[in-house]
């Protein structure tokens, strides 16, 4: 399989917020990269990175990163 700059960009700078949060948390917790170092490639303020990491640490639900929305009508349950 060929590697390309565009495919690398999709991983390094994902468009979906959940994927961005996953990559940020993975970088911070797994790779031990500092919030300052993570902020630049994701084009975020360091405070935003810290907030994402803090929120995940408070509620470490990994499934939230991979939740898929189902097509169709969304109804409000009361």
């Amino acid at each position: 399989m060929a590697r390309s700059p565009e495919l690398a960009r999709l991983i390094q700078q994902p468009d979906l917020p959940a994927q961005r949060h996953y990559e940020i948390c993975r970088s911070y917790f797994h790779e031990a990269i500092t919030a300052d170092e993570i902020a630049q490639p994701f084009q975020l303020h360091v405070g935003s990175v810290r907030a994402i990491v803090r929120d995940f640490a408070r509620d470490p639900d990994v499934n939230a990163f991979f939740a898929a929305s189902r097509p169709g009508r969304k109804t409000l349950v009361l």
Side-chain angles (χ1 to χ4, degrees), residues 5 7-8 15 18 24 26 31 38 43 47 50 54-55 61 63-65 69 72:
L7 292 175
D15 294 328
I24 288 166
R26 185 190 57 76
E31 297 180 18
I38 295 168
Q43 300 175 354
R50 289 183 182 133
R54 177 203 64 217
D55 291 348
D61 180 11
N63 294 322
F65 295 129
S69 62

Side-chain angles (χ1 to χ4, degrees), residues 10 60 74:
L10 289 173
K74 309 295 186 254

Side-chain angles (χ1 to χ4, degrees), residues 26-47:
R26 185 190 57 76
S27 297
Y28 186 85
F29 291 108
H30 180 68
E31 297 180 18
I33 299 174
T34 67
D36 291 319
E37 293 172 313
I38 295 168
Q40 187 173 5
F42 284 95
Q43 300 175 354
L44 293 172
H45 187 276
V46 69

Side-chain angles (χ1 to χ4, degrees), residues 73-78:
R73 184 175 172 183
K74 309 295 186 254
T75 58
L76 179 62
V77 178
L78 298 176

